[in-house]
């Protein structure tokens, strides 16, 4: 009886090692957040390994032996250029593209590198989260730069505006001392009145600054409220100036309800109406119109229009700045419109003005009608 004996121990070890290697490779590929394509020079897909983290646009088998132009026609030219560059230079060539997935736009990065004389590997990664983070970072940088610039203007303006009543107080304290020594009661009373007026102005400035600083920090609970109610409250608060100037106020019907801080929104309307009534000039029939002009960016677009003196062109860019006053002799501190802007922006809205000198002014602003959801 003849027989053959073969020691297969080495073969079994090699087979086990191969299985372990395949399992390791499969696990590695499943863990990689990238899609991997092997492409010919003409863009034909030779191999496709999907990502374990992202669902492919098509089943893997439907990519095989098709060109990029057939499965992703909008990427054909860009991919062809990248393949040629990678094959010619031997360097990695990368580009980004957008692709709608599950109802949202996703951003992908493709990195093309030569793998042979006429073949390349394309490593494709979803970079949507990174792009969003970069966008948010850029927004934060812009906001920080704007805040720093505002803080610089704020510091300069506050020091300037608070210096004026301090100089007045210091000067009249000297007069007060002199008049008290001389027994000049009439001038003594006048000095005291000047000092009192300067301290009241300083107190008003400080109160307005405190009010401005609270916007965004101390806020009442947001709620849905009819905008007509907000307008009615604001008109009542400004009734004294309206009556004194003989200003007619008309409010359109059908104003949308808004969602926000009731108290702060009344402040917005109070400042806008008071501002309009203050700058009527010698208009014989002063009028303020309050209404809505539809919607903008999914927010209600309201306006406050007057037929007063209007805003000179040189002031248009700075009207919402801190302490900027059209007339230095007018009452108030110039904080009103800055407060309006900050409250509106805190509610994620926008505010702007349109005006021609002598033709009145219109202030437009947007407000949400419901809670704003995070994107």
């Amino acid at each position: 009886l003849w027989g053959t004996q073969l020691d297969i121990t080495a073969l079994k070890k090699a087979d086990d090692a191969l299985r372990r290697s395949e399992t390791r490779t499969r696990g590695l590929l499943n863990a990689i957040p990238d899609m991997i394509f092997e492409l010919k020079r003409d863009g034909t897909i030779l191999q496709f390994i999907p990502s374990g983290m992202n669902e492919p646009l098509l089943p893997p088998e439907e990519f095989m032996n098709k060109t990029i132009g057939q499965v992703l026609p909008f990427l054909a030219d860009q991919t062809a250029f990248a393949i040629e560059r990678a094959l010619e230079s031997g360097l990695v060539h990368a580009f980004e593209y957008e692709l709608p997935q599950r109802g949202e736009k996703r951003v992908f990065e493709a990195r093309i590198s030569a793998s042979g004389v006429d073949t390349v590997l394309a490593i494709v990664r979803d970079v949507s989260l990174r792009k969003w983070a970069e966008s948010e970072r850029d927004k934060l940088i812009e906001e920080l730069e704007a805040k720093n610039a505002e803080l610089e203007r704020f510091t300069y303006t506050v020091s300037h505006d608070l210096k004026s009543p301090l100089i007045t107080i210091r000067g009249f304290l000297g007069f007060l001392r002199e008049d008290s020594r001389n027994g000049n009661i009439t001038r003594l009373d006048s000095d005291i009145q000047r000092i009192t007026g300067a301290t009241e102005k300083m107190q008003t400035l400080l109160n307005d600054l405190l009010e401005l600083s609270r916007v965004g920090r101390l806020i009442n609970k947001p709620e849905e409220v009819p905008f007509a109610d907000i307008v009615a409250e604001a008109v009542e608060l400004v009734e004294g100036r309206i009556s004194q100037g003989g200003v007619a106020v008309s409010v359109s019907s059908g104003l949308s309800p808004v969602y926000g801080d009731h108290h702060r929104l009344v402040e917005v309307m109070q400042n806008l109406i008071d501002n309009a009534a203050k700058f009527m000039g010698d208009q014989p029939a002063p009028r303020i119109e309050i209404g809505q002009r539809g919607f903008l960016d999914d927010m209600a677009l309201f306006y406050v229009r007057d037929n007063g003196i209007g805003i000179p062109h040189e002031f248009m860019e700075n009207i919402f700045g801190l302490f900027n006053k059209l007339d230095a002799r007018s009452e108030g501190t110039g904080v009103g419109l800055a407060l309006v802007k900050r409250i509106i922006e805190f509610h994620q809205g926008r505010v702007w003005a349109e005006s021609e000198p002598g033709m009145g002014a219109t202030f437009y602003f947007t407000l949400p009608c419901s809670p704003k959801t995070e994107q």
Side-chain angles (χ1 to χ4, degrees):
L1 181 63
W2 292 87
T4 302
Q5 289 185 336
L6 181 65
D7 186 356
I8 63 171
T9 303
L11 290 176
K12 290 190 69 175
K13 286 182 178 179
D15 189 50
D16 290 342
L18 179 61
R19 285 198 187 94
R20 286 196 301 271
S21 177
E22 287 177 347
T23 302
R24 189 184 305 114
T25 302
R26 193 178 301 112
L28 180 63
L29 291 174
N30 288 336
I32 292 176
D34 304 318
M35 295 176 282
I36 303 174
F37 293 86
E38 185 180 15
L39 308 171
K40 290 176 64 175
R41 185 186 290 268
D42 64 0
T44 301
I45 302 169
L46 300 176
Q47 293 289 336
F48 170 49
I49 301 174
S51 164
M53 301 178 65
N54 293 292
E55 183 180 348
L57 188 64
L58 298 171
E61 60 273 12
E62 293 192 24
F63 281 98
M64 304 304 296
N65 299 315
K66 293 181 180 177
T67 65
I68 293 294
Q70 290 174 313
V71 292
L72 296 170
F74 71 96
L75 277 179
D77 292 341
Q78 198 170 13
T79 304
F81 176 77
I83 290 173
E84 288 298 327
R85 286 290 300 273
L87 290 172
E88 290 173 6
S89 67
L91 302 175
V92 175
H93 187 81
F95 63 89
E96 293 180 355
Y97 62 93
E98 289 186 352
L99 187 65
Q101 281 194 342
R102 297 185 294 275
E104 61 178 333
K105 278 190 175 181
R106 311 290 295 179
V107 182
F108 293 87
E109 179 189 66
R111 300 177 67 84
I112 312 292
S113 62
S115 60
V117 177
D118 284 313
T119 59
V120 298
L121 287 177
I123 312 297
V124 180
R125 173 172 294 188
D126 186 343
V127 294
S128 304
L129 184 59
R130 190 193 77 196
K131 299 297 289 185
W132 174 84
E134 290 174 354
S135 173
E136 290 300 303
R137 180 200 63 193
D138 291 341
K139 287 180 183 177
L140 287 173
I141 291 173
E142 288 181 7
E143 289 178 7
L144 182 60
E145 290 175 346
K147 292 295 183 185
N148 285 339
E150 182 183 10
L151 180 60
E152 185 177 345
R153 293 192 301 270
F154 175 85
T155 304
Y156 171 80
T157 309
V158 169
S159 63
H160 178 273
D161 282 70
L162 289 180
K163 191 181 296 182
S164 176
L166 283 174
I167 292 173
T168 300
I169 292 170
R170 184 180 301 165
F172 277 91
L173 280 174
F175 293 142
L176 188 67
R177 185 181 297 110
E178 182 180 336
D179 293 338
S180 62
R181 287 173 181 171
N182 297 333
N184 192 333
I185 301 302
T186 303
R187 281 190 52 178
L188 193 64
D189 289 339
S190 176
D191 296 340
I192 292 173
Q193 288 176 7
R194 292 291 189 97
I195 292 172
T196 302
T199 57
E200 288 175 350
K201 181 181 179 182
M202 185 179 292
Q203 184 63 56
T204 302
L205 279 168
L206 292 173
N207 287 341
D208 285 349
L209 290 173
L210 181 60
E211 184 70 13
L212 191 66
S213 72
R214 284 174 173 166
V215 177
R217 293 189 297 111
L218 298 178
I219 182 169
N220 302 301
K221 185 178 180 180
E223 60 180 328
E224 183 178 289
V225 56
F227 193 68
D229 291 355
I230 291 173
V231 173
E233 288 182 43
V235 169
E236 185 177 349
L237 290 170
V238 192
E239 180 61 34
R241 188 185 296 279
I242 291 173
S243 299
Q244 184 180 3
V247 182
V249 178
S250 64
V251 181
S252 300
S253 59
L255 299 177
S256 297
V258 295
Y259 183 83
D261 183 338
H262 188 148
H263 174 72
R264 291 297 188 195
L265 295 179
V266 170
E267 283 186 74
V268 167
M269 291 306 299
Q270 179 183 351
N271 276 288
L272 289 176
I273 297 169
D274 184 72
N275 197 68
K278 186 190 301 183
F279 294 104
M280 283 297 179
D282 56 0
Q283 169 62 247
R287 185 179 69 256
I288 297 174
E289 301 173 16
I290 301 168
Q292 183 176 350
R293 194 171 170 178
F295 296 84
L296 179 66
D297 300 330
D298 296 324
M299 304 179 86
L301 174 59
F302 300 104
Y303 64 85
V304 176
R305 179 180 296 123
D306 66 70
N307 62 344
I309 61 174
I311 305 169
H313 294 299
E314 62 268 24
F315 284 98
M316 285 299 291
E317 291 186 4
N318 301 314
I319 57 172
F320 294 104
L322 194 60
F323 298 132
N324 287 335
K325 299 174 65 175
L326 296 182
D327 184 354
R329 297 167 299 178
S330 64
E331 61 181 278
T333 60
V335 172
L337 290 181
L339 188 65
V340 165
K341 183 174 186 292
R342 187 162 293 186
I343 294 173
I344 293 295
E345 290 180 349
F346 183 78
H347 285 79
Q348 302 180 44
R350 293 195 299 124
V351 60
W352 68 97
E354 295 178 2
S355 178
E356 288 293 333
M359 302 292 290
T362 303
F363 283 82
Y364 294 98
F365 55 97
T366 59
L367 288 172
C369 299
S370 59
K372 296 286 282 185
T373 57
E374 294 295 330
Q375 299 297 321

